[in-house]
Amino acid sequence: LQEIDNLSNIISRLPSLGPRSAKRIVLHLIKNREYLIDNFISCLNDIKHNIRYCDSCHNLSNIEICNICANARRDHKIICVVEDVTDLWAIERSKSYNGLYHVLGGTLSAISGVAPEDLKINSLIKRIASGGVEEIIIATNATIEGKTTSHYLVDQIKHYNIKISQPAYGIPIGGEFDYLDDGTLIAALNARHDLVNG
Ligand SMILES: [Zn+2]
C-alpha cells in the first residue's frame, strides 16, 4: 500500500531504524490511530514551530536563550564545548556539571568536508572575547575528528589567557560521550586536565 510505504520510507531514514522496524512502527500507529496519530501530529507540529537553537550556546530551546544559559544559579565563568546536543544531554543527565555549554554542531572533518566556518566556532570566540569566561572545557569526543577539532579550538583560544581543559577520558579511543555511563562521565569531568599548561 502506497500510504504505508510512504510513511515507512520516512521513518526508516531516522537514526537506528531500518525498513523492518519502520514497518512495525507504521503498523503500531495504524492499530492505535485513535490515541497515537493525532498526538503524534500535534507533537511534530510543536517541534517544527517552537523548537529553535539558543542564540548563545546553540542548545535546543523554545525561547531565544535556553534555560541553561538563563539560569543565574549556574556558573557562567565555565563553558563546556560539546559536539552535539546529545553530548550536552549526557552531561546534564550525570548532574556533575554546573557551568554553561557551547554546542559546535559537529566536528571538523576533511573527509566529510566540514570546515571551521561550518561549526559554531566564531560564536564561541565571541563569547570568550566578550569577557567573564575563566575556563573552557573542550569535551569533544575521543575520535580522530573530535581530537582534530579540539586541537583547532586550542589554537584559536589559547591567547585569551583563560584555562583550557579537557575531561580525563577513562574510555577507549573512539568512545563517544553519549555512550559513557554517568559514573565514568562524572569522573572524567572532575579529573579534567589543563590542555595548555600541562
Ligand atoms: Zn543556551
Side-chain angles (χ1 to χ4, degrees):
L1 293 170
Q2 194 62 50
E3 292 87 344
I4 291 175
D5 288 346
N6 289 347
L7 184 54
S8 301
N9 285 339
I10 292 173
I11 292 175
S12 68
R13 275 185 246 149
L14 301 175
S16 45
L17 288 174
R20 280 168 54 187
S21 40
K23 277 239 155 85
R24 279 200 295 273
I25 289 170
V26 173
L27 181 62
H28 186 80
L29 286 168
I30 292 168
K31 282 181 174 172
N32 299 282
R33 71 173 86 192
E34 295 300 331
Y35 77 95
L36 263 184
I37 294 189
D38 282 345
N39 274 335
F40 205 63
I41 291 171
S42 91
C43 288
L44 286 175
N45 257 317
D46 285 348
I47 296 259
K48 179 181 174 185
H49 296 293
N50 301 338
I51 298 299
R52 48 170 289 154
Y53 292 99
C54 171
D55 284 346
S56 180
C57 75
H58 314 292
N59 180 22
L60 294 174
S61 180
N62 53 10
I63 43 175
E64 288 85 359
I65 297 295
C66 77
N67 48 22
I68 293 176
C69 288
N71 187 343
R73 288 193 302 274
R74 296 193 72 122
D75 187 347
H76 285 234
K77 298 189 293 297
I78 309 180
I79 296 177
C80 180
V81 180
V82 293
E83 290 178 17
D84 220 332
V85 177
T86 50
D87 304 311
L88 182 156
W89 287 340
I91 297 173
E92 284 297 288
R93 207 169 50 223
S94 76
K95 297 187 170 62
S96 58
Y97 176 69
N98 192 43
L100 304 184
Y101 293 93
H102 193 86
V103 183
L104 292 174
T107 44
L108 296 175
S109 167
I111 297 168
S112 314
V114 181
E117 58 270 23
D118 299 318
L119 303 175
K120 302 296 184 190
I121 292 176
N122 277 340
S123 64
L124 174 65
I125 309 284
K126 271 189 202 143
R127 287 177 78 184
I128 296 167
S130 70
V133 179
E134 293 176 4
E135 180 178 358
I136 295 288
I137 305 171
I138 301 181
T140 51
N141 289 164
T143 54
I144 291 170
E145 291 83 5
K147 286 177 174 174
T148 307
T149 309
S150 169
H151 290 148
Y152 181 83
L153 288 174
V154 170
D155 265 353
Q156 297 296 305
I157 59 188
K158 64 185 175 199
H159 62 276
Y160 281 100
N161 197 28
I162 50 174
K163 185 177 178 188
I164 305 172
S165 65
Q166 183 181 51
Y169 291 95
I171 50 161
I173 300 295
E176 298 193 352
F177 235 125
D178 194 31
Y179 297 101
L180 283 182
D181 66 89
D182 290 354
T184 310
L185 218 161
I186 291 166
L189 269 174
N190 287 340
R192 61 185 185 264
H193 53 83
D194 204 308
L195 267 177
V196 180
N197 301 312

